[in-house]
C-alpha cells in the first residue's frame, strides 16, 4: 500500500512539471569567492525572474584552470550544460569550430549588440566567420596594484603612487614585519603579475609589438630584458608570501599583513565583501600607476548546442539577458568588474571602478593575453613564470625560454 | 594432431564464452586506448584529436621543457627514496609485529589506517601539519622555542621531503601488511632449525628469511613503484606542484597539457613516456616472476 502510494506520487511528479515548471538551464562557471558568488546570485535572480526559466548553478571550485577541463570534457563528451563561462578569446575556439556551440547571431542582431558592446574587440573575440557565439558579461583587467593603507600606516610611510615608489617602500615594510608583495603560488598568478609589470615597465608599444604584431626580436630585445629585471626584483619582495589562492593573497592585503598585491580588478569584490572602502582602507593603481592602460580580458558565456528546442529558447533568453543594461549594472557592481556596454549608469561605482571606467572611456586599452595567444602558449608561459618567480632563475635565461615559448604559438 | 586442434579450442567452452566480455574490455579499453594515445602523440592535436602528423615534434618539445625535466628528476628522487624507505620501514615494522606481541591486531589496524585514507585527504592533512602558521612550526613556537623553523612545503629544496613524509605515512602500513604475510609464510621449522644451529635472530632474518621472501619483496617493489610513477593526487592536494615547479610530477604535466593547455598531442606524448617508465618497471618483474619458473 505504501509502495503504491509512493509510486503514484513519483509518477505525478514526473508527469506534472512538463507544463507547470520552468525550463532548467545548468550554468557552469568558476566564480566561487565571496564577491564572485554574490555577483552570480544577481545573474540567477534576473534569469529566474521571468518565471519560465530556472538557473541551475553549476559552480566549479578551484579556478579556471580546474574548471575549464571539466567544462570542455562535458561538452566534447556529450553531456553539455546549458551555458558555460569562458574567458574572451581562444579558450573555446576549437569547440566553436567543431560546431558544438550555439550560434547567437539572431540574438545579437535583435538586441543590437554591435552598437552597444564597448570596446568592440569584445564582440570580435566572440565572432567566428561572421557569426557570434558568445555573450560577453564583463571586462576584467589584470594590471592593477592593490595597496593596504593599513600596512603603510603601520610602517609609517605614505602609500606609494606607482610601482617604482612601491619597490622603494619595500625595505620600510619589511622592517615593520610586513610582506611587501603578496603573491599566491598558482602559476597563473605569477604570469599575471609578469604581464602587469610588462605593461607598466615596458610600456604599451613594446607590449603591442610582442603580443599583437608577434615581433620576436622585440621579445628578445633589451627593453624586454629590463622587464625581466624588474620582475626579478619583484620576486624578492614576494619571497615570504606562501599562500596558494589569489583571494588568500588579497586577504593578506586586506588584513595589512602584506603591503600590496598585483591582481586583476576582481580583487575588488574581496575588498567589498570585507567592507573595505576604496581610497580609505585600500588604494588601487591601474597599470601599476605607471602606464594607465588596461587589457580588456573578461568573461563571456557560451551556449553549447542542445537538442531540446525549449532549452535552446531559454539559452537565447539568457544570452539576451546577460547583455541587458539592468543585469550589467547589478552584476558588475557586485563583481567589481567593468560593464561591457558604455551606455549604462554606474554612479554607484566606487573609486577604483571609476578609475577603470575612466580608462575604458579614454580608450587606453589593449587586448588580453587570452585573446592574442593560445591556451597552450599561456600554459607554458605560466609554467615558466611560476618557476621564475619562485626560484632564482637568471632573468636572461627566463627571457630566452620565454621567447621560445612564444615561438610555439606563431 | 589435426583432430586434437579444434578440440583444444573447444575445451572449457563455457569458461571461454564467459571470459569474452572481459577480454573485449581489456582489448578495447586498455590495449585500444593505449594504442590510440600513442598514435595521436605523433599528431598536432590541440583541443580535439586531429590526424595531422608531426613526427617526433611533441617528444622533442617535451624533452626540452624544463617543467617536464624537473618532473622526471622529482620522480627519480621520490621514487628511489620512497621505495627504499617504505620497503625497509615496512619490513622492520613487520618484524616487530611478528614477535608474538600482545594486541597485534590493534597495532596492525593502527598502522594500516592511513592506507584507508585517499591521497587527497592525506595531502590536505599533511599540508596543514606542515603549514608554518598552524602546523608543527607554530606548535613548537607556542611552547617557547620562538626561532624554530620548519616549513618544508614552501622551500623548493625541501618540498619533496614534505611529500615523502606524507607518502610514507600513507603507504608504509600497507607494505608492512604485505611483509607480515610473507613472514607468516615462512615455515616454523626453519626458525626451529636456525635456533638449533644457534644462529642469532637478526642473522636468520637477513640471511635466511629475506632471501626466502624474494617474491613478496618483488611484488611490493612493483606495487610501490607503479604507485610512485602514477603519483598525482597527493601532490595536487599537498603542494599543487609548488613552490614554483619544485614538486611537479609527470602525471600533473600530462593532465595540465591535455586539458588546461588544450594541447592533446603534448599530453599524449608525456603519457606515452609515462607508459614507457611503467614498462621499464614491469618487464623485469614479469621476467623474474614468470620467466624464471620456466627455466628452473
Amino acid at each position: 500500500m505504501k509502495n503504491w502510494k509512493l509510486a503514484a506520487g513519483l509518477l505525478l511528479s514526473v508527469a506534472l512539471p512538463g507544463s507547470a515548471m520552468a525550463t532548467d538551464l545548468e550554468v557552469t562557471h568558476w566564480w566561487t569567492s565571496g564577491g564572485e558568488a554574490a555577483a552570480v546570485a544577481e545573474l540567477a535572480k534576473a534569469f529566474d525572474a521571468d518565471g519560465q526559466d530556472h538557473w541551475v548553478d553549476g559552480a566549479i571550485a578551484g579556478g579556471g584552470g580546474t574548471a575549464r577541463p571539466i567544462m570542455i570534457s562535458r561538452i566534447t563528451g556529450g553531456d553539455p550544460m546549458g551555458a558555460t563561462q569562458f574567458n574572451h578569446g581562444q579558450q573555446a575556439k576549437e569547440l566553436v569550430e567543431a560546431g558544438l556551440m550555439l550560434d547567437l547571431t539572431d540574438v545579437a542582431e535583435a538586441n543590437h549588440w554591435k552598437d552597444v558592446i564597448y570596446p568592440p574587440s569584445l564582440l570580435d573575440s566572440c565572432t567566428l566567420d561572421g557569426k557570434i557565439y558568445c555573450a560577453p558579461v564583463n571586462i576584467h583587467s589584470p594590471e592593477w596594484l592593490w595597496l593596504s593603507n593599513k600596512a603603510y600606516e603601520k610602517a609609517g610611510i605614505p602609500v606609494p603612487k606607482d610601482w617604482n615608489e612601491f619597490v622603494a617602500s619595500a625595505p620600510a615594510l619589511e622592517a615593520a614585519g610586513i610582506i611587501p608583495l603578496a603573491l599566491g603560488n598558482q602559476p597563473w598568478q605569477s604570469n599575471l603579475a609578469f604581464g602587469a609589470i610588462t605593461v607598466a615597465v615596458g610600456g604599451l608599444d613594446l607590449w603591442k609589438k610582442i603580443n599583437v604584431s608577434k615581433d620576436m626580436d622585440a621579445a628578445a630585445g633589451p627593453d624586454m630584458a629590463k622587464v625581466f629585471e624588474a620582475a626579478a626584483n619583484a620576486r624578492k619582495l614576494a619571497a615570504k608570501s606562501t599562500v596558494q589562492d589569489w583571494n588568500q593573497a588579497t586577504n593578506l592585503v586586506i588584513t595589512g599583513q602584506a603591503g600590496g598585491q598585483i591582481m586583476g580588478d576582481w580583487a575588488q569584490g574581496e575588498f567589498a565583501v570585507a567592507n573595505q572602502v576604496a581610497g580609505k582602507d585600500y588604494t588601487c593603481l591601474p597599470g601599476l600607476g605607471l602606464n594607465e592602460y588596461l587589457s580588456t580580458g573578461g568573461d563571456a558565456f557560451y551556449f553549447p548546442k542542445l537538442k531540446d528546442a525549449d532549452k535552446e529558447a531559454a539559452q537565447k533568453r539568457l544570452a539576451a539577458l546577460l547583455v541587458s543594461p539592468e543585469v550589467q549594472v547589478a552584476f558588475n557592481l557586485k563583481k567589481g568588474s567593468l560593464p561591457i556596454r558604455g551606455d549604462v549608469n554606474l554612479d554607484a561605482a566606487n573609486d577604483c571602478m571609476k578609475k577603470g571606467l575612466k580608462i575604458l572611456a579614454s580608450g587606453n586599452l589593449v587586448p588580453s593575453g587570452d585573446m592574442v595567444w593560445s591556451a597552450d602558449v599561456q600554459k607554458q608561459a605560466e609554467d615558466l613564470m611560476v618557476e621564475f618567480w619562485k626560484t632564482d632563475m637568471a632573468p636572461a635565461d627566463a627571457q630566452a625560454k620565454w621567447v621560445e615559448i612564444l615561438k610555439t604559438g606563431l | 594432431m589435426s583432430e586434437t586442434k579444434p578440440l583444444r579450442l573447444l575445451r572449457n567452452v563455457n569458461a571461454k564464452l564467459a571470459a569474452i566480455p572481459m577480454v573485449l574490455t581489456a582489448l578495447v579499453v586498455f590495449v585500444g586506448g593505449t594504442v590510440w594515445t600513442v598514435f595521436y602523440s605523433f599528431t598536432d592535436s590541440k583541443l580535439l584529436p586531429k590526424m595531422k602528423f608531426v613526427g617526433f615534434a611533441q617528444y622533442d618539445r617535451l624533452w626540452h621543457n624544463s617543467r617536464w625535466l624537473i618532473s622526471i628528476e622529482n620522480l627519480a628522487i621520490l621514487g628511489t627514496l620512497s621505495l627504499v624507505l617504505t620497503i625497509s620501514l615496512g619490513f622492520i615494522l613487520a618484524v616487530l609485529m611478528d614477535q608474538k606481541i600482545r594486541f597485534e591486531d590493534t597495532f596492525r589496524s593502527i598502522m594500516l589506517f592511513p592506507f584507508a585514507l585517499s591521497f587527497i585527504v592525506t595531502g590536505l592533512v599533511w599540508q596543514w601539519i606542515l603549514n608554518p602558521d598552524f602546523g608543527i612550526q607554530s606548535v613548537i613556537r607556542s611552547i617557547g622555542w620562538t626561532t624554530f623553523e620548519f616549513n618544508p612545503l614552501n622551500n623548493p629544496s625541501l618540498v619533496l621531503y614534505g611529500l615523502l613524509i606524507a607518502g610514507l605515512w600513507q603507504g608504509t602500513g600497507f607494505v608492512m601488511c604485505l611483509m607480515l604475510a610473507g613472514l607468516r609464510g615462512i615455515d616454523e621449522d626453519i626458525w626451529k632449525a636456525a635456533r638449533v644451529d644457534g644462529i642469532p635472530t637478526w642473522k636468520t632474518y637477513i640471511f635466511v628469511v629475506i632471501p626466502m621472501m624474494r617474491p613478496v619483496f618483488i611484488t611490493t617493489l612493483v606495487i610501490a613503484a607503479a604507485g610512485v610513477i602514477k603519483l598525482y593526487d597527493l601532490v595536487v592536494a599537498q603542494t599543487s606542484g609548488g613552490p614554483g615547479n619544485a614538486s611537479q610530477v609527470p602525471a600533473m604535466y600530462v593532465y595540465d597539457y591535455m586539458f588546461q593547455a588544450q594541447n592533446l598531442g603534448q599530453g599524449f606524448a608525456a603519457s606515452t613516456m609515462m607508459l614507457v617508465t611503467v614498462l621499464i618497471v614491469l618487464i623485469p618483474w614479469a621476467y623474474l616472476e614468470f620467466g624464471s619458473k620456466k627455466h628452473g
Side-chain angles (χ1 to χ4, degrees), chain A residues 65-66 68-70 72-73 76 86 90-92 94-95 98 100 185 187 242 244 375-376 379-380 382-384 386-387 390-391 393 401 408, chain B residues 45-48 50 61 65-67 70 127 132-133 151 153-154 156 239-240 242-245 248 253 255-257 259-263 266:
Chain A
T66 310
R68 280 192 296 273
I70 299 171
I72 290 170
S73 50
T76 55
F86 279 110
Q90 302 199 9
Q91 283 172 356
E94 272 197 71
L95 293 175
L100 292 165
N185 275 335
T242 57
Q244 193 71 20
D376 187 30
K379 182 71 205 152
Q380 291 181 72
E382 285 175 9
D383 284 348
L384 173 69
V386 76
E387 197 182 336
K390 293 287 170 185
T391 60
M393 186 193 283
K401 282 184 182 168
T408 65
Chain B
S45 301
K46 293 289 182 197
L47 178 63
L48 304 167
K50 267 188 229 135
R61 181 177 140 185
N65 183 303
S66 68
R67 179 176 156 189
I70 293 173
Q127 187 195 60
D133 295 328
N151 188 8
L153 294 189
N154 290 305
T239 66
S240 309
N245 287 331
Q248 290 286 350
Y253 185 92
Y255 178 82
D256 284 0
Y257 275 85
F259 299 112
Q260 288 191 6
Q262 306 182 353
N263 191 341
Q266 183 65 203

Side-chain angles (χ1 to χ4, degrees), chain A residues 342-360:
Chain A
D343 59 351
V344 293
N345 182 0
L346 275 180
D347 285 344
N350 66 21
D351 277 9
C352 287
M353 271 180 92
K354 281 186 177 146
K355 279 187 195 173
L357 285 168
K358 214 176 102 197
I359 296 172
L360 193 64

Side-chain angles (χ1 to χ4, degrees), chain B residues 184-238:
Chain B
R184 293 284 150 84
I186 304 284
D187 201 327
E188 266 307 300
D189 293 341
I190 303 233
W191 280 106
K192 282 178 192 155
R195 237 168 275 145
V196 168
D197 285 343
I199 304 171
T201 316
W202 65 271
K203 263 194 175 169
T204 320
Y205 271 116
I206 290 174
F207 296 108
V208 181
V209 173
I210 290 183
M212 287 182 72
M213 279 174 62
R214 202 190 71 153
V216 177
F217 272 96
I218 291 174
T219 307
T220 312
L221 194 73
V222 169
I223 293 175
V228 172
I229 292 169
K230 66 178 190 199
L231 186 65
Y232 174 81
D233 28 10
L234 180 69
V235 186
V236 168
Q238 209 181 339

Side-chain angles (χ1 to χ4, degrees), chain A residues 198-329:
Chain A
T198 311
V199 174
V201 176
L204 184 71
D205 289 341
L206 180 69
W207 197 94
K208 277 195 169 162
K209 238 192 251 171
I210 296 168
N211 295 290
V212 182
S213 340
K214 321 268 186 203
D215 180 346
M216 290 301 116
D217 294 331
D223 288 340
M224 205 57 213
K226 274 185 211 148
V227 174
F228 273 90
E229 289 291 345
N233 283 331
R235 73 183 171 192
K236 286 181 207 140
L237 308 183
K240 289 220 174 90
S241 168
T242 57
V243 291
Q244 193 71 20
D245 293 317
W246 68 267
N247 48 339
Q248 292 173 318
T250 308
N251 193 46
L252 291 180
V253 178
I254 291 172
T255 53
Q257 295 173 59
Q261 180 193 18
I262 300 176
M263 187 40 64
D265 50 9
W266 50 89
Q268 197 159 214
E270 296 302 299
F271 285 104
V273 168
N275 291 321
Q276 301 267 304
V277 180
K280 190 169 131 267
D281 301 309
Y282 67 101
T283 304
C284 55
L285 300 173
L288 309 192
L290 290 173
N291 278 313
E292 293 211 341
Y293 281 90
L294 296 179
S295 67
T296 50
D299 303 293
F301 276 92
Y302 286 78
F303 299 84
K305 269 189 192 157
L306 300 175
K307 290 193 187 83
D308 187 339
D310 284 349
K311 291 212 168 177
E312 190 177 307
Q315 287 178 316
K316 289 190 171 169
R317 282 196 294 276
L318 178 58
L321 183 81
L322 291 173
V323 180
S324 69
E326 304 77 38
V327 170
Q328 278 294 313
V329 173

Side-chain angles (χ1 to χ4, degrees), chain A residues 31 43 88 135-139 299-301 322-323 328 331-332 337-340:
Chain A
W31 288 324
L43 295 183
H88 302 305
V137 290
N138 61 7
I139 301 172
D299 303 293
F301 276 92
L322 291 173
V323 180
Q328 278 294 313
F331 174 76
N332 285 308
S337 52
L338 303 176
I340 48 120

Side-chain angles (χ1 to χ4, degrees), chain A residues 72-107:
Chain A
I72 290 170
S73 50
R74 276 190 60 183
I75 296 168
T76 55
D79 177 28
M81 61 298 278
T84 185
Q85 174 198 7
F86 279 110
N87 295 120
H88 302 305
Q90 302 199 9
Q91 283 172 356
K93 193 175 155 211
E94 272 197 71
L95 293 175
V96 174
E97 283 171 354
L100 292 165
M101 292 297 181
L102 182 68
D103 178 5
L104 299 172
T105 314
D106 52 339
V107 182

